[in-house]
Amino acid sequence: MSLVSDSALRRALARARDGKALDVTEVTVLLHARGEHLDALLEHASRVRDAGLRAVGREGIITYSKKVFIPLTRLCRDRCGYCTFATAPHKLPAPFLSPDEVLEIARQGAAMGCKEALFTLGDRPEDRWHQARSWLDAHGYDDTLSYVRAMAIGVLEETGLLPHLNPGVLTWRDLQRLKPVAPSMGMMLETTSRRLFEEKGEAHYGSPDKDPAVRLRVLEDAGRTNVPFTTGILIGIGETVEDRAESIFAIRRVAREYGGIQEVIVQNFRAKPDTAMRGLPDASLEELAATIAVARLVLGPRVRIQAPPNLVDSEYALMIRAGIDDWGGVSPLTPDHVNPERPWPQISLLEDRTAESGFQLRERLTIYPEYVVAGEPWLDPRLFAHVAALADPATGLARPDAVLRGLPWQEPDGGFAPSGRVDLHVEVDTSGRTHDRRDDFDHVYGDWTALRDRLPSTPATTPSSTTPSSTAPSDGAPSDGAGSDPAARVAPSAAAGVPAVPAPGARVAEGTAADAALPGAVAGSAASAGAPADGGAVGGVTAGSGTVDRASLAGVGVASGWAAGEVWRALRRAAADPGGLSDAEAVALLSAEGEALDELAAIADDLRRQAVGDEVTYVVNRNINFTNVCYTGCRFCAFAQRRTDADAYTLSLDQVADRAQEAWDAGATEVCMQGGIHPDLPGTAYFDLAKAVKERTPGMHVHAFSPMEVINGASRTDMSIQAWLEAAKEAGVDSLPGTAAEILDDDVRWVLTKGKLPAKEWVEVITTAHKVGIPTTSTMMYGHVDNHLHWVRHIKLIRSLQERTGGFSEFVLLPFVHTSAPIYLAGIARPGPTAQENRAVHALARILLHGAIKNIQCSWVKLRDDLCRHVLQGGVNDLGGTLMEETISRMAGSENGSYKTISELREMVEVTGRPVRQRTTEYGIPTDERLAASEASDGVCKSVRRVLPMA
């Protein structure tokens, strides 16, 4: 450990004492504190810890969890140099514990009063060991996580113990699968040091799951999924003191942004025989204390910090002085299988040692008290009864008198009882929404300040974006004094947020990192193609003919930032070779104004005429949003409500069927069904909805369920996406809406939404739907925190998918409606695209998709009628549907009504001189009977019609 000067330590300690913001450099200095400096550091940390405990009503209390340790498998695909837990198949009687062995451990623990079942196992052993793969196949499990899920359910039902899952690296979808069976999960970050991962001979070399970027992504995905999550750092494995500081800041960033880090373990390395690192010295307990204290100062009073009591020798008092408020899990039955040479202390001893430092030891559950009390969205409804049986409802701590007994775990029954404001689809046009935002606005979407830190600048249409002003972080910890996140040096795409590519109206350099990702790249944006996420050109840029200084650019018919000649060259290229436009040329076209914009529209309209002729089409349909209860946390969505909110509602199956019948009677050929991710609805609810519509209206086309809903259904039923889609098709689903796409770039998506599916998951659902014969639409929601390059790449990705599958029926452009959108109310998003951008992007979509997707649709819900007319003369051939009830955009503040009659659609098109035709979902011609019925109703059922005042 390198030495630092006494004066540097005193300065850093003074700032810590005064509660000043500490940066990585100052924290690194503090990690060197020893002697009197360490005493001062511990005092400051204790004060922060004590303030946090007072704030939650647990002053003077240190917690622990009484647990059993279930080593489900000791096989692992990784090769960590310090690990004795992982072993080889020939050293084990079987690759996995059997169900009987798992339940026997759990039963014994329950008999001794344990309340936590800690499932620990190696990462995806079937990827390395054929014995693991064979065992899983023989016992009917698709993968290790399927077995983990089944055993967690078994423990809940047989014993009442609460599972805490430590299965290693998890994907976003894995977390969706496992959340319903475990109140909490965990994975140690360990370190952000890439050297330990990349250099031969270091602790994590040869271990794919120890990539710091991958592990940080797991922490973020857990936060997005609202999983109470345990993580931590491991000190003394070869990392530098600077690495330790950066690791703590990386955890702090995730904790602030998502609020899901329930505890941070600071663990000291202890060398073990028969490992590659057996010769390394143990991290000293003074080092451990200094690291705990620094973690407390950086993470603040709200984060719970733990030191494993079996690894601190007799220095319990030192760790309490350092700022811990939890001792972690302690087992009266099973050993610490990760540190088998270090037995757990007796709980009575731990209680005595804690009391000697002036604290009371209290038992908690595996899910921390704050999350128990909060309930949804942190705790899945399937686990409510299991947790309630063991928790004190007032404090969230474990009840001393709790009786351990197994309780059934099952999908919720039904969930379709009508509730709430079921007439919102009509009232949204009259009385409107009750409030402009939810009561939990300040925290349900994550930390707004931390979210602003993801953005390199406030979204704008020019490069002169202003940097957002910083506010005090909500977790009570000081912010980074340096204003930068050290985790960005570990995983730029995960930590730096949206790539610093030009904002709308700005130019992009061809061949730079900002233009490097192939159109088909999904995960990680530019970073996925090997380019740095912040590599976009900003000052002088190149676009075909050399470098140009943006400050000197000006031209007739061109938005600020682009030379007129370059836009006109791009226009000529678009006319001659629509599919050959480079990203830079396409971005240039999005800045066209005046004559150049008219020319862009004319080129697009010529291509439209070639593809589909002059007809403008529409479908008579009805939207049925069966519930708006949702806890996903989409920051652009004003539709989602908590079940207790004044505007929340859920329809019964009969009400859904009634609305389908009304639509059929009015001549509809399609219902479009989408809803919130209601925690009470089982994964099979979607099948029930489709069947209800088909049983009542057999001839109705069921266009239903976004990719997010598909993932939700598949996760809750533990089915593969393909199997779930095949079951949905059998139930009556005819096509899927390609919504939930927003912008297919995760750096944008993770600003727009807290918990929605990643871009690659959207792609998988869509391509799988096409594979099983379910066509879909495709969409893009734009004009929020994105930029023109994102739009271009999104459209090109849609084209590449269509060339692969041929399953898209249309491309729908959805301008961002800002008025009541949380991300706009928080001051992060801009107020939607401009009229110029709307015209340009509709035209560009026609050009880029020419020869791949014939139908380009505008959204009358989101555009004014005059803008619809403009885009109809710039490449658009379809107006979508009459809708009958459009609630989602209206809740966000759209002022264009919740339905359009056929007469209104015809009137909108009339000035263009083009013919108007009613279509089916598949762009066919409806039957004469359907046409007659829709003409009689003017395409809208009576129950939703606005009542006009008497003259």
Side-chain angles (χ1 to χ4, degrees), residues 631-895:
Y631 294 87
T632 300
C634 293
R635 300 177 178 114
F636 61 86
C637 180
F639 178 67
Q641 306 290 305
R642 294 172 299 177
R643 67 175 81 234
T644 55
D645 288 335
D647 291 331
Y649 74 87
T650 297
L651 302 180
S652 68
L653 289 175
D654 284 341
Q655 287 173 319
V656 170
D658 289 346
R659 294 189 185 191
Q661 183 68 60
E662 282 187 339
W664 181 261
D665 294 343
T669 55
E670 171 195 304
V671 292
C672 177
M673 289 195 296
Q674 298 178 85
I677 307 301
H678 195 312
D680 286 352
L681 295 183
T684 54
Y686 302 104
F687 308 152
D688 297 333
L689 287 160
K691 289 174 182 175
V693 172
K694 285 293 189 180
E695 287 172 2
R696 187 73 68 85
T697 56
M700 189 75 80
H701 182 105
V702 176
H703 181 63
F705 313 134
S706 72
M708 181 66 190
E709 291 170 289
V710 172
I711 288 283
N712 181 55
S715 298
R716 293 190 181 189
T717 55
D718 204 27
M719 299 170 70
S720 69
I721 289 174
Q722 180 168 331
W724 193 93
L725 285 168
E726 289 169 344
K729 185 178 181 182
E730 184 177 348
V733 173
D734 298 300
S735 60
L736 299 185
T739 49
E742 280 70 72
I743 292 292
L744 291 172
D745 182 310
D746 282 343
D747 290 330
V748 174
R749 296 177 75 78
W750 297 141
V751 176
L752 270 181
T753 174
K754 178 183 175 184
K756 214 165 203 177
L757 75 171
K760 67 178 182 179
E761 303 287 354
W762 188 94
V763 169
E764 183 177 352
V765 171
I766 290 295
T767 54
T768 305
H770 296 172
K771 177 182 176 182
V772 303
I774 301 177
T776 75
T777 61
S778 54
T779 65
M780 180 175 79
M781 187 186 75
Y782 60 96
H784 31 73
V785 297
D786 50 2
N787 59 51
H788 288 174
L789 182 59
H790 292 127
W791 304 0
V792 169
R793 286 184 173 159
H794 180 104
I795 297 170
K796 287 190 172 185
L797 173 58
I798 294 296
R799 181 185 180 101
S800 72
L801 295 175
Q802 180 74 341
E803 289 171 344
R804 189 194 319 170
T805 69
F808 290 129
S809 58
E810 68 222 57
F811 182 64
V812 187
L813 293 114
L814 304 171
F816 172 59
V817 178
H818 70 283
T819 310
S820 296
I823 197 168
Y824 174 75
L825 295 176
I828 294 175
R830 65 184 177 114
T834 64
Q836 173 271 330
E837 287 177 310
N838 278 315
R839 288 186 63 196
V841 74
H842 281 78
L844 184 66
R846 169 63 69 184
I847 291 168
L848 292 179
L849 295 174
H850 183 62
I853 298 177
K854 293 195 302 182
N855 300 299
I856 306 296
Q857 181 187 124
C858 68
S859 172
W860 60 258
V861 175
K862 300 173 188 293
L863 296 174
R864 300 188 310 272
D865 286 5
D866 59 334
L867 263 177
C868 286
R869 294 185 186 100
H870 275 300
V871 299
L872 281 170
Q873 297 173 79
V876 169
N877 69 293
D878 189 73
L879 291 171
T882 58
L883 301 185
M884 302 194 199
E885 54 177 280
E886 201 300 316
T887 313
I888 295 175
S889 295
R890 291 289 288 118
M891 287 286 282
S894 168
E895 298 178 348

Side-chain angles (χ1 to χ4, degrees), residues 409-721:
W409 181 96
Q410 60 187 24
E411 290 286 343
D413 291 329
F416 283 113
S419 64
R421 199 176 174 189
V422 295
D423 292 328
L424 183 64
H425 66 295
V426 175
E427 294 174 354
V428 73
D429 283 336
T430 55
S431 55
R433 59 184 299 150
T434 304
H435 305 290
D436 76 331
R437 67 191 74 188
R438 289 163 48 158
D439 292 340
D440 57 355
F441 178 89
D442 289 338
H443 59 84
V444 70
Y445 304 103
D447 184 272
W448 290 113
T449 301
L451 186 64
R452 289 186 186 96
D453 291 345
R454 270 189 175 270
L455 296 169
S457 61
T458 302
T461 56
T462 66
S464 60
S465 306
T466 59
T467 302
S469 60
S470 61
T471 59
S474 64
D475 60 1
S479 63
D480 293 357
S484 63
D485 183 2
R489 294 196 288 277
V490 179
S493 65
V498 179
V501 290
R507 299 184 49 208
V508 60
E510 232 182 294
T512 66
D515 202 26
L518 297 174
V522 176
S525 184
S528 66
D534 60 348
V538 177
V541 293
T542 304
S545 60
T547 299
V548 183
D549 180 4
R550 178 178 285 113
S552 67
L553 297 181
V556 177
V558 181
S560 174
W562 279 93
E566 292 174 343
V567 173
W568 284 100
R569 278 194 293 274
L571 285 167
R572 289 193 292 272
R573 178 72 178 274
D577 181 17
L581 286 172
S582 69
D583 284 7
E585 290 168 330
V587 170
L589 292 178
L590 288 170
S591 296
E593 290 184 334
E595 293 178 7
L597 182 56
D598 291 340
E599 179 63 20
L600 177 65
I603 292 170
D605 227 30
D606 284 343
L607 295 175
R608 183 266 305 159
R609 197 172 293 109
Q610 294 174 33
V612 294
D614 283 333
E615 285 184 331
V616 177
T617 51
Y618 66 90
V619 63
V620 175
N621 66 349
R622 182 171 192 168
N623 279 359
I624 303 177
N625 302 124
F626 47 89
T627 183
N628 64 353
V629 175
C630 187
Y631 294 87
T632 300
C634 293
R635 300 177 178 114
F636 61 86
C637 180
F639 178 67
Q641 306 290 305
R642 294 172 299 177
R643 67 175 81 234
T644 55
D645 288 335
D647 291 331
Y649 74 87
T650 297
L651 302 180
S652 68
L653 289 175
D654 284 341
Q655 287 173 319
V656 170
D658 289 346
R659 294 189 185 191
Q661 183 68 60
E662 282 187 339
W664 181 261
D665 294 343
T669 55
E670 171 195 304
V671 292
C672 177
M673 289 195 296
Q674 298 178 85
I677 307 301
H678 195 312
D680 286 352
L681 295 183
T684 54
Y686 302 104
F687 308 152
D688 297 333
L689 287 160
K691 289 174 182 175
V693 172
K694 285 293 189 180
E695 287 172 2
R696 187 73 68 85
T697 56
M700 189 75 80
H701 182 105
V702 176
H703 181 63
F705 313 134
S706 72
M708 181 66 190
E709 291 170 289
V710 172
I711 288 283
N712 181 55
S715 298
R716 293 190 181 189
T717 55
D718 204 27
M719 299 170 70
S720 69
I721 289 174

Side-chain angles (χ1 to χ4, degrees), residues 275-533:
T275 66
M277 295 174 62
R278 58 187 177 274
L280 249 65
D282 290 351
S284 74
L285 295 181
E286 282 194 326
E287 275 186 88
L288 177 62
T291 307
I292 291 171
V294 164
R296 172 57 69 197
L297 293 172
V298 172
L299 297 172
R302 291 178 57 186
V303 173
R304 306 296 148 230
I305 296 180
Q306 174 204 134
N310 58 324
L311 301 182
V312 302
D313 295 341
S314 59
E315 296 290 347
Y316 301 101
L318 180 63
M319 304 310 149
I320 291 173
R321 289 175 59 211
I324 68 159
D325 48 20
D326 188 81
W327 286 119
V330 178
S331 179
L333 174 67
T334 51
D336 179 352
H337 289 274
V338 176
N339 299 282
E341 78 286 1
R342 298 277 173 176
W344 304 111
Q346 293 292 319
I347 293 174
S348 58
L349 173 66
L350 191 61
E351 187 173 20
D352 291 343
R353 295 294 177 268
T354 303
E356 288 171 2
S357 293
F359 287 83
Q360 179 187 1
L361 186 67
R362 289 284 302 276
E363 185 184 2
R364 61 166 173 84
L365 304 179
T366 177
I367 175 174
Y368 267 71
E370 293 86 338
Y371 299 91
V372 173
V373 173
E376 288 178 326
W378 300 104
L379 186 61
D380 191 278
R382 296 153 189 77
L383 300 170
F384 281 175
H386 300 84
V387 172
L390 305 179
D392 180 329
T395 66
L397 292 168
R399 281 174 39 208
D401 61 345
V403 177
L404 271 294
R405 60 185 180 87
L407 294 172
W409 181 96
Q410 60 187 24
E411 290 286 343
D413 291 329
F416 283 113
S419 64
R421 199 176 174 189
V422 295
D423 292 328
L424 183 64
H425 66 295
V426 175
E427 294 174 354
V428 73
D429 283 336
T430 55
S431 55
R433 59 184 299 150
T434 304
H435 305 290
D436 76 331
R437 67 191 74 188
R438 289 163 48 158
D439 292 340
D440 57 355
F441 178 89
D442 289 338
H443 59 84
V444 70
Y445 304 103
D447 184 272
W448 290 113
T449 301
L451 186 64
R452 289 186 186 96
D453 291 345
R454 270 189 175 270
L455 296 169
S457 61
T458 302
T461 56
T462 66
S464 60
S465 306
T466 59
T467 302
S469 60
S470 61
T471 59
S474 64
D475 60 1
S479 63
D480 293 357
S484 63
D485 183 2
R489 294 196 288 277
V490 179
S493 65
V498 179
V501 290
R507 299 184 49 208
V508 60
E510 232 182 294
T512 66
D515 202 26
L518 297 174
V522 176
S525 184
S528 66

